[in-house]
Amino acid sequence: MTAELVRGQNHPLSQVRLEVRVSAGRPIVAAAALSDEQGRIRGVEWVAHPGAPTLPGLEVSRQAAADHRLAFDLDALAETVHRVSVLLALPPGVGGPVRFGAVAAPFVAVTGLDGSEVASYTITGLDTESAVVALELYRRQNAWKVRAVGQGYAGGLAELLTDQGLAEAPQLAGSINEAVAQGLARSVAAPPPRSPEGDRSRQTAASAGGPDQGGPAAQGAPGAVPPQQDRPVGPPPTHPYGVATPPGAPAPDGSAVPQPPAAGGPVDYSHPGRRTSAPPSPPPTAPPAPPGQPARPVAGDATGWSPEERLYNQVWGMFEDLARSAAAYRSAVDFADSRMEQELDRVLSDPRSRIGGQGDAAREAARAKHAELVDRAREAFDRDLAQLTAEAEVVEPALPPAYARWDNPVWHGYRVPMEMPMALRLGDLHLPESEGLGIPMLVRLPLERGLWIDSGRGSLEDSLADSDEVRRLAMVTAVAHAARLLAVHPAGEFTVHAIDPAGSGAPALAPLVRAGVLAAQPAAGAAGVADTLARLTQRVDLVQMAVRGGAADSLPPDLDTAEQLLIVNDFPHGFDDRAVTQLRYLADEGPAVGVHLMMVADREDAAAYGPLLDPLWRSLLRITPVPDDHLADPWVGHAWTYEPSLVPAGSDVLRQVLTQVAEARRAWRR
């Protein structure tokens, strides 16, 4: 039975291999600090954090996330360690909340490797604090216990670590914040919260199934998150992730959770947990399936105010489903590995069973049990994958141009839109376990971050292309994204500028130049760079002053009020110190007033500037011209392989689309 702790309460631990799970509803930092008998941290090497996530006996997450799983092997800790504190903090400088009083109360649970919950604690009563000691695991008379602490610090990690006796607390806090900022820079931003009525409810047999159905309980996954469930998009759930609602019992929203299907039955594609309170214009539903046949998935089955929003929510729901399903599968495999390791250790620890038939039989039994657990985990994951694949097959053809691949037939019927879409497709995301299933990578419009298309050698690790080819592909990728941005905006509401100091990007920019959709010819040389940056910087200044002064109607009549995109090729060639400063200013201040950057650059080319440009790179979303596994999801932090959305070779669709964009722009100017 789970012990639900309150502040100051403790509970004995019967296991030494444990996980601490954190659910916060929004990205937070998780760390763990070791303390001696006096409760003091002896040095920075006694703290596990995103920049140094592994210590003997424990491992923490490598980035800020809404959900964390911290692994502990208490027997592997040094004898001088008497206490392990679990630390949580809000990441600073990323535009999110700066105090825990502004977010939902974090939930912390201690579980065994089999997923059984030992103790839980909801951290309430926080206000101005930005860091908190959630709980501590401590030795008492050669046994381990857990205590709910909930001690918060308004001064953040620096104050918390100082209070625990660490002399280098400010420096370590800065290192942690730097590591977190780098992790968030590669994370795909989650969509903004919607009201509970906008939730996309999904539930499958795999997540609802118990031990007989091969669900997470059968896998032995340590708290594997049910991959397809009602996802909280407003307030956090009443129960933490990993605590399943029994079949037939009321769900948190009052609806009944249906019984799981019989083991071995067909995959049920219906969504029985769907909410009935939806915005106007309800989403489409599938026609009744023949008896004994599963219902087929439907494009736009998420809730939303328009078909576009429903498809957007559905795609993001598929993204989260796959992330959580893969987390459940990986967790189950880790548990199977750990269990086999323990069983083999027991065999080897007994001299009588190390050799001979008894030892061989024990080792064979351990390996057979491991294979059984992994097979059951894969079976459950494959069921989830089959549902998502079937859903993708009906969703992909239904996507509007802003969300569709360039090879989608929707582009052949393209017309210049009358209003801006809510999001844009930048490419596809894949996981190693599901390479055949790609999730569209949708980012909200207007862009909240600039884009950095990495043309460096770091993109070559898994590619056969040489460095020159990658630079060419980087510009081709930039043009494809710029063309898509032009195509999905109404005429006159999006303007594209280009800086190409040495003219190396001319072949890739040719489609934009020939169609006449650029604001001007690509700027060349140092003079062209300076002139373009000066005009855009002035625009940012003017709009900022007008907005702050509440005098938007006082802008100069010749000011282009459309959203602006600046493509920069081969940075920092052609840039002096003033131009670099202006570029950083545009990256920081531009998105808020409609000026966006698209950098095509190799970071090593700008190495001479040292850490001066680190904030610039972090402010941009890095994408690559070739497949690369550098992006992370905002839920569990998987590394996803990003594949850019490019125009198929030999296709004429880009020219056709840009021709219509140019004609609409000319008609708009008349």
Side-chain angles (χ1 to χ4, degrees):
M1 182 176 178
T2 303
E4 297 183 3
L5 305 180
V6 297
R7 182 173 297 180
Q9 185 179 358
N10 59 40
H11 185 75
L13 297 174
S14 59
Q15 307 174 57
V16 294
R17 290 190 174 186
L18 303 162
E19 284 190 347
V20 172
R21 301 193 191 150
V22 181
S23 178
R26 67 175 306 111
I28 62 171
V29 183
L34 309 179
S35 306
D36 58 20
E37 198 167 5
Q38 287 72 42
R40 299 180 65 84
I41 303 174
R42 294 190 177 181
V44 295
E45 68 278 3
W46 275 38
V47 181
H49 56 84
T54 305
L55 292 178
L58 67 92
E59 182 175 3
V60 303
S61 305
R62 297 176 180 270
Q63 68 175 45
D67 301 318
H68 291 273
R69 292 208 323 268
L70 286 67
F72 294 87
D73 183 353
L74 300 178
D75 275 353
L77 298 176
E79 290 294 329
T80 52
V81 175
H82 287 261
R83 181 185 305 168
V84 184
S85 299
V86 176
L87 318 178
L88 306 178
L90 292 169
V94 296
V98 295
R99 60 186 186 91
F100 274 108
V103 301
F107 179 89
V108 187
V110 181
T111 73
L113 292 183
D114 60 354
S116 59
E117 198 168 283
V118 179
S120 63
Y121 173 42
T122 301
I123 310 172
T124 58
L126 299 177
D127 186 14
T128 60
E129 297 87 347
S130 59
V132 61
V133 180
L135 51 77
E136 61 184 19
L137 313 176
Y138 63 98
R139 295 184 199 259
R140 181 62 55 86
Q141 297 177 350
N142 295 324
W144 285 91
K145 294 185 177 183
V146 57
R147 176 186 291 120
V149 180
Q151 175 63 52
Y153 296 84
L157 282 172
E159 182 182 352
L160 184 156
L161 295 170
T162 299
D163 190 51
Q164 300 224 351
L166 181 63
E168 304 92 338
Q171 295 85 347
L172 179 58
S175 299
I176 295 174
N177 293 336
E178 175 72 14
V180 170
Q182 292 178 0
L184 289 174
R186 73 183 189 93
S187 178
V188 180
R194 306 188 306 276
S195 64
E197 289 77 10
D199 194 6
R200 173 183 184 265
S201 302
R202 305 166 58 88
Q203 188 167 358
T204 65
S207 63
D212 294 338
Q213 281 74 35
Q219 299 171 24
V225 180
Q228 314 214 351
Q229 58 183 344
D230 282 348
R231 279 185 291 275
V233 293
T238 304
H239 300 291
Y241 295 122
V243 180
T245 303
D253 62 356
S255 60
V257 177
Q259 297 286 345
V267 177
D268 185 1
Y269 293 106
S270 62
H271 302 290
R274 189 183 314 285
R275 301 181 190 274
T276 57
S277 56
S281 182
T285 57
Q293 296 295 322
R296 301 301 300 173
V298 177
D301 76 339
T303 54
W305 294 97
S306 66
E308 179 192 12
E309 183 179 3
R310 290 197 289 267
L311 285 167
Y312 173 81
N313 293 338
Q314 186 172 15
V315 168
W316 267 93
M318 293 165 59
F319 187 13
E320 183 175 0
D321 283 348
L322 183 54
R324 295 195 183 282
S325 186
Y329 170 68
R330 293 179 183 181
S331 181
V333 172
D334 288 344
F335 169 70
D337 292 343
S338 175
R339 176 169 178 161
M340 182 176 70
E341 182 182 341
Q342 293 180 56
E343 292 177 352
L344 292 177
D345 286 345
R346 283 197 294 269
V347 172
L348 295 175
S349 64
D350 186 353
R352 294 171 298 179
S353 61
R354 290 178 186 171
I355 57 176
Q358 183 180 357
D360 293 341
R363 283 188 283 270
E364 186 62 30
R367 295 189 181 100
K369 184 62 176 178
H370 174 270
E372 179 188 358
L373 290 174
V374 171
D375 289 344
R376 288 161 65 186
R378 184 71 207 195
E379 180 183 357
F381 178 69
D382 285 344
R383 285 199 300 270
D384 293 335
L385 196 58
Q387 175 176 2
L388 288 169
T389 300
E391 189 170 11
E393 289 174 353
V394 298
V395 168
E396 189 69 49
L399 295 177
Y403 302 173
R405 291 195 298 252
W406 283 107
D407 59 358
N408 192 310
V410 72
W411 285 106
H412 296 293
Y414 167 78
R415 294 294 182 270
V416 176
M418 300 300 293
E419 59 183 25
M420 182 182 73
M422 66 183 302
L424 183 87
R425 185 174 190 156
L426 291 181
D428 293 88
L429 297 171
H430 305 265
L431 285 176
E433 297 90 345
S434 57
E435 292 185 357
L437 174 61
I439 303 295
M441 179 181 169
L442 304 181
V443 295
R444 288 297 292 261
L445 292 178
L447 296 172
E448 297 177 354
R449 298 171 64 185
L451 302 177
W452 165 29
I453 302 173
D454 190 354
S455 61
R457 288 185 292 273
S459 303
L460 292 172
E461 295 178 1
D462 299 318
S463 172
L464 298 178
D466 58 24
S467 58
D468 291 337
E469 177 65 8
V470 169
R471 289 180 183 270
R472 185 192 70 81
L473 287 174
M475 272 304 294
V476 170
T477 303
V479 169
H481 292 325
R484 183 185 291 265
L485 282 163
L486 282 164
V488 302
H489 281 80
E493 293 191 13
F494 199 83
T495 302
V496 177
H497 310 262
I499 289 179
D500 188 21
S504 60
L509 289 169
L512 300 178
V513 175
R514 283 197 299 264
V517 293
L518 291 177
Q521 290 294 311
V529 171
D531 179 65
T532 302
L533 291 176
R535 285 188 285 108
L536 289 176
T537 301
Q538 182 185 42
R539 183 193 184 279
V540 171
D541 291 339
L542 289 173
V543 176
Q544 280 186 338
M545 288 188 291
V547 171
R548 291 169 183 168
D553 56 351
S554 65
L555 289 170
D558 60 342
L559 182 75
D560 184 2
T561 57
E563 295 280 314
Q564 309 285 313
L565 175 71
L566 173 61
I567 303 174
V568 178
N569 184 37
D570 273 352
F571 175 81
H573 301 298
F575 283 72
D576 56 19
D577 290 345
R578 177 179 173 81
V580 170
T581 302
Q582 289 175 321
L583 193 68
R584 286 190 54 188
Y585 177 72
L586 292 178
D588 293 338
E589 304 294 334
V593 292
V595 178
H596 313 281
L597 282 183
M598 184 183 291
M599 300 271 292
V600 181
D602 178 358
R603 188 168 182 172
E604 292 185 8
D605 290 344
Y609 288 94
L612 176 67
L613 290 181
D614 286 351
L616 171 65
W617 304 119
R618 285 199 300 268
S619 69
L620 305 173
L621 175 62
R622 176 179 175 255
I623 56 179
T624 53
V626 293
D628 187 65
D629 60 346
H630 66 284
L631 291 175
D633 65 79
W635 302 286
V636 291
H638 291 319
W640 293 73
T641 296
Y642 166 79
E643 185 175 353
S645 180
L646 300 178
V647 180
S651 173
D652 197 40
V653 65
L654 184 62
R655 184 194 62 79
Q656 295 174 2
V657 168
L658 291 178
T659 298
Q660 290 200 41
V661 170
E663 292 175 353
R665 287 165 62 92
R666 286 192 292 268
W668 175 79
R669 291 193 184 101
R670 287 198 291 266

